[in-house]
Amino acid sequence: MEFLEHHALYVVGIISAVIWLGLFLFMFGTERRIRKLESSK
């Protein structure tokens, strides 16, 4: 726990990066699914 106390900013940055990466991957997957549905019409 000492690492978290001294490097809280790094922990926040890593968590933020993971959240942004997850959102990006979700949006990318959704875009691919929408494109596939539009092309099948």
Side-chain angles (χ1 to χ4, degrees):
M1 290 310 247
E2 189 174 323
F3 178 82
L4 295 177
E5 293 171 3
H6 295 302
H7 303 293
L9 193 58
Y10 291 124
V11 174
V12 170
I14 290 169
I15 292 171
S16 176
V18 168
I19 290 172
W20 279 107
L21 181 65
L23 282 172
F24 175 77
L25 291 174
F26 173 74
M27 295 293 278
F28 184 73
T30 303
E31 174 72 21
R32 278 184 33 199
R33 277 185 245 129
I34 290 172
R35 196 172 291 160
K36 189 190 297 184
L37 283 171
E38 287 177 343
S39 67
S40 69
K41 286 184 176 182

